[in-house]
Amino acid sequence: MPFKAVWTQTTPGDPSTVTIAPDANDFLLAFYVNDANAVNDFTPPAGWTEACELQNNTDNQSFVVWYKKADGTETSLSFDANSGNIGIAAVVSLSGIDTATPLDVAAVTFNNNTSATTSDISITPSTNLCDIVFIAGNDRASGGDTSFTFSTQSGTTGAWATQADINSGFMNAALGIASQATAGPITARCTTDTAGGRSGILFALRSASVVDQEGYRFGADDGAENAHTWIDAQDTPITQPASQNVILSVVVNVTGTPGARTFKLQHRKVGDTTWLDTPLQ
């Protein structure tokens, strides 16, 4: 699970300013709700990208989501409605996200002006090992805190965890995360303990590249690159005379975005401390 930290501002204000302290290369998701849907004009600061700005009129609510790759110098983030409408906000920091191409597919939004306790939203990731992130707001007609839970209705993901839950009177929102091992269509659900109008967005975030060595095997250098004789079984160390050439075959598995990694094979003499690049053919 990529969750690292959450920072919140649950005292309503305009602007609503959250104090944050992310590390460089974290992926940040910021979300905001207020109790009005008129005369709002949200502009993300430099470096941030707006994922959605939704207005709900069940009892009036604005719901805004921004994201960015952190550079480690960020100390705060302000949502300014430019209208005097007060709101609350949260910023979630995630690690292990491919910050070069964080969105595996376009995020999907919903905005339901009919009072309800559940909302379903579907997305189809195209890359294995995506993290599925659901951010939802509940526009309840009576003040009070809202409890949010997230689940998968169709398709396959791991268990959901609610990592951020902000509430203040009529303003309520939360963020849940689950992981998907194998890419495929899913439908996720947000359930609340109180009915209300509902806004939200569903992300499929691509994981950073992961390289795992699957195995290695030594073969005799008998002049046949593709049909040489194996010296021993896979993943078995060997001892050979220094004068005898051998072939080393290595298999690696790459997930995420292979282009984000540079592959090389290195070697060193026993007793030396310096690794040298091995020419590859």
Side-chain angles (χ1 to χ4, degrees):
M1 192 68 68
F3 174 77
K4 282 187 67 175
V6 59
W7 303 277
T8 64
Q9 175 53 268
T10 56
T11 300
D14 184 31
S16 181
T17 301
V18 187
T19 300
I20 63 177
D23 295 322
N25 299 316
D26 285 354
F27 184 72
L28 304 180
L29 283 166
F31 58 100
Y32 163 96
V33 289
N34 73 18
D35 192 34
N37 64 0
V39 201
N40 292 308
D41 182 17
F42 298 94
T43 302
W48 289 84
T49 299
E50 183 174 274
C52 70
E53 179 178 337
L54 304 173
Q55 316 289 333
N56 196 293
N57 61 19
T58 301
D59 190 50
N60 297 339
Q61 176 179 267
S62 290
F63 174 82
V64 182
V65 178
W66 299 337
Y67 65 87
K68 75 167 295 189
K69 172 187 175 181
D71 59 25
T73 66
E74 297 87 354
T75 58
S76 65
L77 177 65
S78 293
F79 287 86
D80 191 344
N82 295 302
S83 62
N85 294 321
I86 60 175
I88 60 176
V91 180
V92 171
S93 178
L94 306 178
S95 63
I97 302 300
D98 181 356
T99 53
T101 312
L103 274 59
D104 184 59
V105 293
V108 183
T109 63
F110 72 89
N111 198 38
N112 181 6
N113 291 302
T114 301
S115 185
T117 58
T118 61
S119 294
D120 292 353
I121 187 167
S122 299
I123 196 167
T124 304
S126 61
T127 304
N128 293 343
L129 299 178
C130 279
D131 292 301
I132 312 301
V133 179
F134 199 148
I135 310 176
N138 183 36
D139 182 15
R140 57 189 293 167
S142 58
D145 291 352
T146 296
S147 175
F148 294 81
T149 57
F150 299 91
S151 59
T152 300
Q153 296 304 296
S154 65
T156 303
T157 69
W160 285 84
T162 302
Q163 302 291 8
D165 191 339
I166 56 174
N167 297 278
S168 181
F170 295 91
M171 294 165 280
N172 305 274
L175 178 148
I177 305 176
S179 296
Q180 185 182 51
T182 304
I186 63 166
T187 297
R189 171 172 292 178
C190 172
T191 303
T192 55
D193 62 343
T194 304
R198 313 170 73 76
S199 301
I201 186 168
L202 190 64
F203 293 92
L205 299 179
R206 189 174 294 177
S207 295
S209 295
V210 177
V211 179
D212 293 314
Q213 179 183 304
E214 178 180 310
Y216 68 91
R217 195 172 188 184
F218 288 97
D221 184 7
D222 52 15
E225 180 179 352
N226 296 321
H228 51 263
T229 302
W230 294 114
I231 296 173
D232 213 325
Q234 180 176 312
D235 302 326
T236 303
I238 65 170
T239 300
Q240 296 289 111
S243 59
Q244 181 173 337
N245 294 333
V246 296
I247 294 174
L248 171 61
S249 298
V250 180
V251 177
V252 295
N253 289 324
V254 182
T255 58
T257 307
R261 294 277 183 158
T262 300
F263 298 97
K264 64 171 63 177
L265 181 65
Q266 294 186 317
H267 67 278
R268 71 176 183 183
K269 183 179 178 181
V270 174
D272 286 351
T273 59
T274 302
W275 287 91
L276 302 175
D277 290 351
T278 302
L280 301 179
Q281 296 181 345

mmCIF file with all atom_site columns, all heavy atoms in Angstrom, residues 190-216:
data_model
loop_
_atom_site.group_PDB
_atom_site.id
_atom_site.type_symbol
_atom_site.label_atom_id
_atom_site.label_alt_id
_atom_site.label_comp_id
_atom_site.label_asym_id
_atom_site.label_entity_id
_atom_site.label_seq_id
_atom_site.pdbx_PDB_ins_code
_atom_site.Cartn_x
_atom_site.Cartn_y
_atom_site.Cartn_z
_atom_site.occupancy
_atom_site.B_iso_or_equiv
_atom_site.pdbx_formal_charge
_atom_site.auth_seq_id
_atom_site.auth_comp_id
_atom_site.auth_asym_id
_atom_site.auth_atom_id
_atom_site.pdbx_PDB_model_num
ATOM 1   N N   . CYS A 1 190 ? -18.467 3.654   -2.719  1.00 0.00 ? 190 CYS A N   1
ATOM 2   C CA  . CYS A 1 190 ? -18.332 4.429   -1.486  1.00 0.00 ? 190 CYS A CA  1
ATOM 3   C C   . CYS A 1 190 ? -19.673 4.378   -0.750  1.00 0.00 ? 190 CYS A C   1
ATOM 4   O O   . CYS A 1 190 ? -20.710 4.687   -1.336  1.00 0.00 ? 190 CYS A O   1
ATOM 5   C CB  . CYS A 1 190 ? -17.952 5.875   -1.786  1.00 0.00 ? 190 CYS A CB  1
ATOM 6   S SG  . CYS A 1 190 ? -17.988 6.941   -0.338  1.00 0.00 ? 190 CYS A SG  1
ATOM 7   N N   . THR A 1 191 ? -19.630 3.971   0.505   1.00 0.00 ? 191 THR A N   1
ATOM 8   C CA  . THR A 1 191 ? -20.839 3.887   1.338   1.00 0.00 ? 191 THR A CA  1
ATOM 9   C C   . THR A 1 191 ? -20.689 4.838   2.516   1.00 0.00 ? 191 THR A C   1
ATOM 10  O O   . THR A 1 191 ? -19.630 4.889   3.150   1.00 0.00 ? 191 THR A O   1
ATOM 11  C CB  . THR A 1 191 ? -21.046 2.458   1.861   1.00 0.00 ? 191 THR A CB  1
ATOM 12  O OG1 . THR A 1 191 ? -21.126 1.557   0.750   1.00 0.00 ? 191 THR A OG1 1
ATOM 13  C CG2 . THR A 1 191 ? -22.321 2.354   2.684   1.00 0.00 ? 191 THR A CG2 1
ATOM 14  N N   . THR A 1 192 ? -21.751 5.598   2.802   1.00 0.00 ? 192 THR A N   1
ATOM 15  C CA  . THR A 1 192 ? -21.738 6.505   3.944   1.00 0.00 ? 192 THR A CA  1
ATOM 16  C C   . THR A 1 192 ? -22.866 6.143   4.903   1.00 0.00 ? 192 THR A C   1
ATOM 17  O O   . THR A 1 192 ? -23.867 5.538   4.509   1.00 0.00 ? 192 THR A O   1
ATOM 18  C CB  . THR A 1 192 ? -21.902 7.969   3.503   1.00 0.00 ? 192 THR A CB  1
ATOM 19  O OG1 . THR A 1 192 ? -23.100 8.093   2.724   1.00 0.00 ? 192 THR A OG1 1
ATOM 20  C CG2 . THR A 1 192 ? -20.715 8.410   2.671   1.00 0.00 ? 192 THR A CG2 1
ATOM 21  N N   . ASP A 1 193 ? -22.698 6.521   6.175   1.00 0.00 ? 193 ASP A N   1
ATOM 22  C CA  . ASP A 1 193 ? -23.720 6.201   7.176   1.00 0.00 ? 193 ASP A CA  1
ATOM 23  C C   . ASP A 1 193 ? -24.881 7.182   7.153   1.00 0.00 ? 193 ASP A C   1
ATOM 24  O O   . ASP A 1 193 ? -25.882 6.979   7.839   1.00 0.00 ? 193 ASP A O   1
ATOM 25  C CB  . ASP A 1 193 ? -23.094 6.155   8.575   1.00 0.00 ? 193 ASP A CB  1
ATOM 26  C CG  . ASP A 1 193 ? -22.505 7.487   8.998   1.00 0.00 ? 193 ASP A CG  1
ATOM 27  O OD1 . ASP A 1 193 ? -22.275 8.352   8.121   1.00 0.00 ? 193 ASP A OD1 1
ATOM 28  O OD2 . ASP A 1 193 ? -22.267 7.670   10.201  1.00 0.00 ? 193 ASP A OD2 1
ATOM 29  N N   . THR A 1 194 ? -24.754 8.249   6.354   1.00 0.00 ? 194 THR A N   1
ATOM 30  C CA  . THR A 1 194 ? -25.805 9.256   6.252   1.00 0.00 ? 194 THR A CA  1
ATOM 31  C C   . THR A 1 194 ? -26.033 9.594   4.794   1.00 0.00 ? 194 THR A C   1
ATOM 32  O O   . THR A 1 194 ? -25.076 9.732   4.028   1.00 0.00 ? 194 THR A O   1
ATOM 33  C CB  . THR A 1 194 ? -25.426 10.531  7.026   1.00 0.00 ? 194 THR A CB  1
ATOM 34  O OG1 . THR A 1 194 ? -25.142 10.188  8.375   1.00 0.00 ? 194 THR A OG1 1
ATOM 35  C CG2 . THR A 1 194 ? -26.559 11.541  7.006   1.00 0.00 ? 194 THR A CG2 1
ATOM 36  N N   . ALA A 1 195 ? -27.293 9.733   4.395   1.00 0.00 ? 195 ALA A N   1
ATOM 37  C CA  . ALA A 1 195 ? -27.615 10.040  3.005   1.00 0.00 ? 195 ALA A CA  1
ATOM 38  C C   . ALA A 1 195 ? -27.251 11.478  2.668   1.00 0.00 ? 195 ALA A C   1
ATOM 39  O O   . ALA A 1 195 ? -27.172 12.354  3.529   1.00 0.00 ? 195 ALA A O   1
ATOM 40  C CB  . ALA A 1 195 ? -29.097 9.794   2.743   1.00 0.00 ? 195 ALA A CB  1
ATOM 41  N N   . GLY A 1 196 ? -27.033 11.704  1.376   1.00 0.00 ? 196 GLY A N   1
ATOM 42  C CA  . GLY A 1 196 ? -26.740 13.050  0.892   1.00 0.00 ? 196 GLY A CA  1
ATOM 43  C C   . GLY A 1 196 ? -26.376 13.013  -0.570  1.00 0.00 ? 196 GLY A C   1
ATOM 44  O O   . GLY A 1 196 ? -26.199 11.944  -1.163  1.00 0.00 ? 196 GLY A O   1
ATOM 45  N N   . GLY A 1 197 ? -26.281 14.186  -1.178  1.00 0.00 ? 197 GLY A N   1
ATOM 46  C CA  . GLY A 1 197 ? -25.762 14.265  -2.526  1.00 0.00 ? 197 GLY A CA  1
ATOM 47  C C   . GLY A 1 197 ? -24.300 13.846  -2.514  1.00 0.00 ? 197 GLY A C   1
ATOM 48  O O   . GLY A 1 197 ? -23.608 13.940  -1.498  1.00 0.00 ? 197 GLY A O   1
ATOM 49  N N   . ARG A 1 198 ? -23.784 13.381  -3.669  1.00 0.00 ? 198 ARG A N   1
ATOM 50  C CA  . ARG A 1 198 ? -22.477 12.739  -3.653  1.00 0.00 ? 198 ARG A CA  1
ATOM 51  C C   . ARG A 1 198 ? -21.649 13.154  -4.866  1.00 0.00 ? 198 ARG A C   1
ATOM 52  O O   . ARG A 1 198 ? -22.133 13.173  -5.995  1.00 0.00 ? 198 ARG A O   1
ATOM 53  C CB  . ARG A 1 198 ? -22.660 11.220  -3.629  1.00 0.00 ? 198 ARG A CB  1
ATOM 54  C CG  . ARG A 1 198 ? -23.705 10.786  -2.594  1.00 0.00 ? 198 ARG A CG  1
ATOM 55  C CD  . ARG A 1 198 ? -24.085 9.340   -2.711  1.00 0.00 ? 198 ARG A CD  1
ATOM 56  N NE  . ARG A 1 198 ? -23.015 8.481   -2.233  1.00 0.00 ? 198 ARG A NE  1
ATOM 57  C CZ  . ARG A 1 198 ? -22.738 8.282   -0.954  1.00 0.00 ? 198 ARG A CZ  1
ATOM 58  N NH1 . ARG A 1 198 ? -23.433 8.900   -0.015  1.00 0.00 ? 198 ARG A NH1 1
ATOM 59  N NH2 . ARG A 1 198 ? -21.770 7.482   -0.590  1.00 0.00 ? 198 ARG A NH2 1
ATOM 60  N N   . SER A 1 199 ? -20.396 13.487  -4.586  1.00 0.00 ? 199 SER A N   1
ATOM 61  C CA  . SER A 1 199 ? -19.425 13.791  -5.644  1.00 0.00 ? 199 SER A CA  1
ATOM 62  C C   . SER A 1 199 ? -18.189 12.937  -5.399  1.00 0.00 ? 199 SER A C   1
ATOM 63  O O   . SER A 1 199 ? -17.886 12.591  -4.253  1.00 0.00 ? 199 SER A O   1
ATOM 64  C CB  . SER A 1 199 ? -19.035 15.275  -5.631  1.00 0.00 ? 199 SER A CB  1
ATOM 65  O OG  . SER A 1 199 ? -20.168 16.105  -5.802  1.00 0.00 ? 199 SER A OG  1
ATOM 66  N N   . GLY A 1 200 ? -17.460 12.606  -6.461  1.00 0.00 ? 200 GLY A N   1
ATOM 67  C CA  . GLY A 1 200 ? -16.260 11.806  -6.245  1.00 0.00 ? 200 GLY A CA  1
ATOM 68  C C   . GLY A 1 200 ? -15.457 11.596  -7.501  1.00 0.00 ? 200 GLY A C   1
ATOM 69  O O   . GLY A 1 200 ? -15.858 11.972  -8.612  1.00 0.00 ? 200 GLY A O   1
ATOM 70  N N   . ILE A 1 201 ? -14.281 10.973  -7.303  1.00 0.00 ? 201 ILE A N   1
ATOM 71  C CA  . ILE A 1 201 ? -13.370 10.681  -8.408  1.00 0.00 ? 201 ILE A CA  1
ATOM 72  C C   . ILE A 1 201 ? -12.626 9.396   -8.092  1.00 0.00 ? 201 ILE A C   1
ATOM 73  O O   . ILE A 1 201 ? -12.301 9.123   -6.937  1.00 0.00 ? 201 ILE A O   1
ATOM 74  C CB  . ILE A 1 201 ? -12.398 11.856  -8.631  1.00 0.00 ? 201 ILE A CB  1
ATOM 75  C CG1 . ILE A 1 201 ? -11.529 11.629  -9.869  1.00 0.00 ? 201 ILE A CG1 1
ATOM 76  C CG2 . ILE A 1 201 ? -11.528 12.105  -7.392  1.00 0.00 ? 201 ILE A CG2 1
ATOM 77  C CD1 . ILE A 1 201 ? -10.758 12.873  -10.306 1.00 0.00 ? 201 ILE A CD1 1
ATOM 78  N N   . LEU A 1 202 ? -12.390 8.583   -9.131  1.00 0.00 ? 202 LEU A N   1
ATOM 79  C CA  . LEU A 1 202 ? -11.684 7.313   -8.995  1.00 0.00 ? 202 LEU A CA  1
ATOM 80  C C   . LEU A 1 202 ? -10.442 7.334   -9.874  1.00 0.00 ? 202 LEU A C   1
ATOM 81  O O   . LEU A 1 202 ? -10.526 7.593   -11.080 1.00 0.00 ? 202 LEU A O   1
ATOM 82  C CB  . LEU A 1 202 ? -12.595 6.156   -9.397  1.00 0.00 ? 202 LEU A CB  1
ATOM 83  C CG  . LEU A 1 202 ? -12.096 4.738   -9.101  1.00 0.00 ? 202 LEU A CG  1
ATOM 84  C CD1 . LEU A 1 202 ? -11.954 4.498   -7.607  1.00 0.00 ? 202 LEU A CD1 1
ATOM 85  C CD2 . LEU A 1 202 ? -13.042 3.696   -9.715  1.00 0.00 ? 202 LEU A CD2 1
ATOM 86  N N   . PHE A 1 203 ? -9.269  7.075   -9.256  1.00 0.00 ? 203 PHE A N   1
ATOM 87  C CA  . PHE A 1 203 ? -7.992  7.047   -9.954  1.00 0.00 ? 203 PHE A CA  1
ATOM 88  C C   . PHE A 1 203 ? -7.474  5.615   -10.047 1.00 0.00 ? 203 PHE A C   1
ATOM 89  O O   . PHE A 1 203 ? -7.662  4.816   -9.125  1.00 0.00 ? 203 PHE A O   1
ATOM 90  C CB  . PHE A 1 203 ? -6.923  7.848   -9.202  1.00 0.00 ? 203 PHE A CB  1
ATOM 91  C CG  . PHE A 1 203 ? -7.131  9.324   -9.140  1.00 0.00 ? 203 PHE A CG  1
ATOM 92  C CD1 . PHE A 1 203 ? -7.815  9.896   -8.082  1.00 0.00 ? 203 PHE A CD1 1
ATOM 93  C CD2 . PHE A 1 203 ? -6.595  10.155  -10.119 1.00 0.00 ? 203 PHE A CD2 1
ATOM 94  C CE1 . PHE A 1 203 ? -7.979  11.270  -7.995  1.00 0.00 ? 203 PHE A CE1 1
ATOM 95  C CE2 . PHE A 1 203 ? -6.749  11.532  -10.043 1.00 0.00 ? 203 PHE A CE2 1
ATOM 96  C CZ  . PHE A 1 203 ? -7.451  12.086  -8.980  1.00 0.00 ? 203 PHE A CZ  1
ATOM 97  N N   . ALA A 1 204 ? -6.758  5.312   -11.133 1.00 0.00 ? 204 ALA A N   1
ATOM 98  C CA  . ALA A 1 204 ? -5.884  4.143   -11.212 1.00 0.00 ? 204 ALA A CA  1
ATOM 99  C C   . ALA A 1 204 ? -4.479  4.691   -11.350 1.00 0.00 ? 204 ALA A C   1
ATOM 100 O O   . ALA A 1 204 ? -4.104  5.231   -12.401 1.00 0.00 ? 204 ALA A O   1
ATOM 101 C CB  . ALA A 1 204 ? -6.243  3.253   -12.395 1.00 0.00 ? 204 ALA A CB  1
ATOM 102 N N   . LEU A 1 205 ? -3.683  4.591   -10.275 1.00 0.00 ? 205 LEU A N   1
ATOM 103 C CA  . LEU A 1 205 ? -2.343  5.161   -10.253 1.00 0.00 ? 205 LEU A CA  1
ATOM 104 C C   . LEU A 1 205 ? -1.316  4.080   -10.562 1.00 0.00 ? 205 LEU A C   1
ATOM 105 O O   . LEU A 1 205 ? -1.309  3.019   -9.929  1.00 0.00 ? 205 LEU A O   1
ATOM 106 C CB  . LEU A 1 205 ? -2.052  5.788   -8.889  1.00 0.00 ? 205 LEU A CB  1
ATOM 107 C CG  . LEU A 1 205 ? -2.984  6.924   -8.480  1.00 0.00 ? 205 LEU A CG  1
ATOM 108 C CD1 . LEU A 1 205 ? -2.598  7.442   -7.100  1.00 0.00 ? 205 LEU A CD1 1
ATOM 109 C CD2 . LEU A 1 205 ? -2.945  8.062   -9.497  1.00 0.00 ? 205 LEU A CD2 1
ATOM 110 N N   . ARG A 1 206 ? -0.461  4.365   -11.514 1.00 0.00 ? 206 ARG A N   1
ATOM 111 C CA  . ARG A 1 206 ? 0.527   3.389   -11.960 1.00 0.00 ? 206 ARG A CA  1
ATOM 112 C C   . ARG A 1 206 ? 1.674   3.291   -10.948 1.00 0.00 ? 206 ARG A C   1
ATOM 113 O O   . ARG A 1 206 ? 2.223   4.300   -10.501 1.00 0.00 ? 206 ARG A O   1
ATOM 114 C CB  . ARG A 1 206 ? 1.066   3.800   -13.328 1.00 0.00 ? 206 ARG A CB  1
ATOM 115 C CG  . ARG A 1 206 ? 1.940   2.772   -13.999 1.00 0.00 ? 206 ARG A CG  1
ATOM 116 C CD  . ARG A 1 206 ? 2.296   3.220   -15.408 1.00 0.00 ? 206 ARG A CD  1
ATOM 117 N NE  . ARG A 1 206 ? 1.117   3.261   -16.265 1.00 0.00 ? 206 ARG A NE  1
ATOM 118 C CZ  . ARG A 1 206 ? 1.137   3.673   -17.527 1.00 0.00 ? 206 ARG A CZ  1
ATOM 119 N NH1 . ARG A 1 206 ? 2.269   4.101   -18.065 1.00 0.00 ? 206 ARG A NH1 1
ATOM 120 N NH2 . ARG A 1 206 ? 0.040   3.670   -18.245 1.00 0.00 ? 206 ARG A NH2 1
ATOM 121 N N   . SER A 1 207 ? 2.054   2.074   -10.593 1.00 0.00 ? 207 SER A N   1
ATOM 122 C CA  . SER A 1 207 ? 3.158   1.875   -9.665  1.00 0.00 ? 207 SER A CA  1
ATOM 123 C C   . SER A 1 207 ? 4.481   2.156   -10.357 1.00 0.00 ? 207 SER A C   1
ATOM 124 O O   . SER A 1 207 ? 4.628   1.948   -11.565 1.00 0.00 ? 207 SER A O   1
ATOM 125 C CB  . SER A 1 207 ? 3.164   0.439   -9.132  1.00 0.00 ? 207 SER A CB  1
ATOM 126 O OG  . SER A 1 207 ? 2.018   0.178   -8.361  1.00 0.00 ? 207 SER A OG  1
ATOM 127 N N   . ALA A 1 208 ? 5.440   2.628   -9.578  1.00 0.00 ? 208 ALA A N   1
ATOM 128 C CA  . ALA A 1 208 ? 6.785   2.815   -10.110 1.00 0.00 ? 208 ALA A CA  1
ATOM 129 C C   . ALA A 1 208 ? 7.354   1.467   -10.520 1.00 0.00 ? 208 ALA A C   1
ATOM 130 O O   . ALA A 1 208 ? 6.928   0.416   -10.033 1.00 0.00 ? 208 ALA A O   1
ATOM 131 C CB  . ALA A 1 208 ? 7.678   3.473   -9.059  1.00 0.00 ? 208 ALA A CB  1
ATOM 132 N N   . SER A 1 209 ? 8.324   1.482   -11.422 1.00 0.00 ? 209 SER A N   1
ATOM 133 C CA  . SER A 1 209 ? 8.894   0.243   -11.930 1.00 0.00 ? 209 SER A CA  1
ATOM 134 C C   . SER A 1 209 ? 9.509   -0.587  -10.813 1.00 0.00 ? 209 SER A C   1
ATOM 135 O O   . SER A 1 209 ? 10.149  -0.073  -9.900  1.00 0.00 ? 209 SER A O   1
ATOM 136 C CB  . SER A 1 209 ? 9.983   0.547   -12.962 1.00 0.00 ? 209 SER A CB  1
ATOM 137 O OG  . SER A 1 209 ? 9.426   1.176   -14.082 1.00 0.00 ? 209 SER A OG  1
ATOM 138 N N   . VAL A 1 210 ? 9.303   -1.879  -10.886 1.00 0.00 ? 210 VAL A N   1
ATOM 139 C CA  . VAL A 1 210 ? 9.895   -2.826  -9.941  1.00 0.00 ? 210 VAL A CA  1
ATOM 140 C C   . VAL A 1 210 ? 10.627  -3.887  -10.749 1.00 0.00 ? 210 VAL A C   1
ATOM 141 O O   . VAL A 1 210 ? 10.067  -4.454  -11.687 1.00 0.00 ? 210 VAL A O   1
ATOM 142 C CB  . VAL A 1 210 ? 8.818   -3.492  -9.056  1.00 0.00 ? 210 VAL A CB  1
ATOM 143 C CG1 . VAL A 1 210 ? 9.449   -4.522  -8.138  1.00 0.00 ? 210 VAL A CG1 1
ATOM 144 C CG2 . VAL A 1 210 ? 8.083   -2.437  -8.246  1.00 0.00 ? 210 VAL A CG2 1
ATOM 145 N N   . VAL A 1 211 ? 11.879  -4.150  -10.408 1.00 0.00 ? 211 VAL A N   1
ATOM 146 C CA  . VAL A 1 211 ? 12.674  -5.157  -11.102 1.00 0.00 ? 211 VAL A CA  1
ATOM 147 C C   . VAL A 1 211 ? 12.980  -6.290  -10.135 1.00 0.00 ? 211 VAL A C   1
ATOM 148 O O   . VAL A 1 211 ? 13.549  -6.068  -9.068  1.00 0.00 ? 211 VAL A O   1
ATOM 149 C CB  . VAL A 1 211 ? 13.990  -4.563  -11.643 1.00 0.00 ? 211 VAL A CB  1
ATOM 150 C CG1 . VAL A 1 211 ? 14.820  -5.634  -12.338 1.00 0.00 ? 211 VAL A CG1 1
ATOM 151 C CG2 . VAL A 1 211 ? 13.700  -3.404  -12.587 1.00 0.00 ? 211 VAL A CG2 1
ATOM 152 N N   . ASP A 1 212 ? 12.569  -7.504  -10.481 1.00 0.00 ? 212 ASP A N   1
ATOM 153 C CA  . ASP A 1 212 ? 12.840  -8.678  -9.665  1.00 0.00 ? 212 ASP A CA  1
ATOM 154 C C   . ASP A 1 212 ? 13.639  -9.691  -10.488 1.00 0.00 ? 212 ASP A C   1
ATOM 155 O O   . ASP A 1 212 ? 13.273  -9.996  -11.628 1.00 0.00 ? 212 ASP A O   1
ATOM 156 C CB  . ASP A 1 212 ? 11.531  -9.351  -9.209  1.00 0.00 ? 212 ASP A CB  1
ATOM 157 C CG  . ASP A 1 212 ? 10.750  -8.483  -8.251  1.00 0.00 ? 212 ASP A CG  1
ATOM 158 O OD1 . ASP A 1 212 ? 11.371  -7.939  -7.329  1.00 0.00 ? 212 ASP A OD1 1
ATOM 159 O OD2 . ASP A 1 212 ? 9.527   -8.349  -8.432  1.00 0.00 ? 212 ASP A OD2 1
ATOM 160 N N   . GLN A 1 213 ? 14.708  -10.216 -9.898  1.00 0.00 ? 213 GLN A N   1
ATOM 161 C CA  . GLN A 1 213 ? 15.452  -11.269 -10.579 1.00 0.00 ? 213 GLN A CA  1
ATOM 162 C C   . GLN A 1 213 ? 14.708  -12.589 -10.418 1.00 0.00 ? 213 GLN A C   1
ATOM 163 O O   . GLN A 1 213 ? 14.458  -13.045 -9.317  1.00 0.00 ? 213 GLN A O   1
ATOM 164 C CB  . GLN A 1 213 ? 16.863  -11.416 -9.992  1.00 0.00 ? 213 GLN A CB  1
ATOM 165 C CG  . GLN A 1 213 ? 17.658  -12.527 -10.674 1.00 0.00 ? 213 GLN A CG  1
ATOM 166 C CD  . GLN A 1 213 ? 19.023  -12.730 -10.064 1.00 0.00 ? 213 GLN A CD  1
ATOM 167 O OE1 . GLN A 1 213 ? 19.808  -11.806 -9.990  1.00 0.00 ? 213 GLN A OE1 1
ATOM 168 N NE2 . GLN A 1 213 ? 19.306  -13.951 -9.611  1.00 0.00 ? 213 GLN A NE2 1
ATOM 169 N N   . GLU A 1 214 ? 14.361  -13.181 -11.567 1.00 0.00 ? 214 GLU A N   1
ATOM 170 C CA  . GLU A 1 214 ? 13.637  -14.451 -11.522 1.00 0.00 ? 214 GLU A CA  1
ATOM 171 C C   . GLU A 1 214 ? 14.587  -15.632 -11.379 1.00 0.00 ? 214 GLU A C   1
ATOM 172 O O   . GLU A 1 214 ? 14.282  -16.612 -10.706 1.00 0.00 ? 214 GLU A O   1
ATOM 173 C CB  . GLU A 1 214 ? 12.796  -14.612 -12.781 1.00 0.00 ? 214 GLU A CB  1
ATOM 174 C CG  . GLU A 1 214 ? 12.030  -15.929 -12.840 1.00 0.00 ? 214 GLU A CG  1
ATOM 175 C CD  . GLU A 1 214 ? 11.211  -16.043 -14.106 1.00 0.00 ? 214 GLU A CD  1
ATOM 176 O OE1 . GLU A 1 214 ? 10.465  -15.095 -14.409 1.00 0.00 ? 214 GLU A OE1 1
ATOM 177 O OE2 . GLU A 1 214 ? 11.340  -17.067 -14.799 1.00 0.00 ? 214 GLU A OE2 1
ATOM 178 N N   . GLY A 1 215 ? 15.764  -15.530 -12.004 1.00 0.00 ? 215 GLY A N   1
ATOM 179 C CA  . GLY A 1 215 ? 16.688  -16.645 -11.912 1.00 0.00 ? 215 GLY A CA  1
ATOM 180 C C   . GLY A 1 215 ? 17.955  -16.404 -12.720 1.00 0.00 ? 215 GLY A C   1
ATOM 181 O O   . GLY A 1 215 ? 18.056  -15.454 -13.492 1.00 0.00 ? 215 GLY A O   1
ATOM 182 N N   . TYR A 1 216 ? 18.937  -17.282 -12.514 1.00 0.00 ? 216 TYR A N   1
ATOM 183 C CA  . TYR A 1 216 ? 20.170  -17.245 -13.293 1.00 0.00 ? 216 TYR A CA  1
ATOM 184 C C   . TYR A 1 216 ? 20.619  -18.684 -13.546 1.00 0.00 ? 216 TYR A C   1
ATOM 185 O O   . TYR A 1 216 ? 20.221  -19.624 -12.851 1.00 0.00 ? 216 TYR A O   1
ATOM 186 C CB  . TYR A 1 216 ? 21.272  -16.477 -12.550 1.00 0.00 ? 216 TYR A CB  1
ATOM 187 C CG  . TYR A 1 216 ? 21.776  -17.164 -11.296 1.00 0.00 ? 216 TYR A CG  1
ATOM 188 C CD1 . TYR A 1 216 ? 22.862  -18.049 -11.331 1.00 0.00 ? 216 TYR A CD1 1
ATOM 189 C CD2 . TYR A 1 216 ? 21.156  -16.951 -10.072 1.00 0.00 ? 216 TYR A CD2 1
ATOM 190 C CE1 . TYR A 1 216 ? 23.312  -18.691 -10.189 1.00 0.00 ? 216 TYR A CE1 1
ATOM 191 C CE2 . TYR A 1 216 ? 21.604  -17.580 -8.912  1.00 0.00 ? 216 TYR A CE2 1
ATOM 192 C CZ  . TYR A 1 216 ? 22.679  -18.445 -8.977  1.00 0.00 ? 216 TYR A CZ  1
ATOM 193 O OH  . TYR A 1 216 ? 23.109  -19.085 -7.853  1.00 0.00 ? 216 TYR A OH  1
#
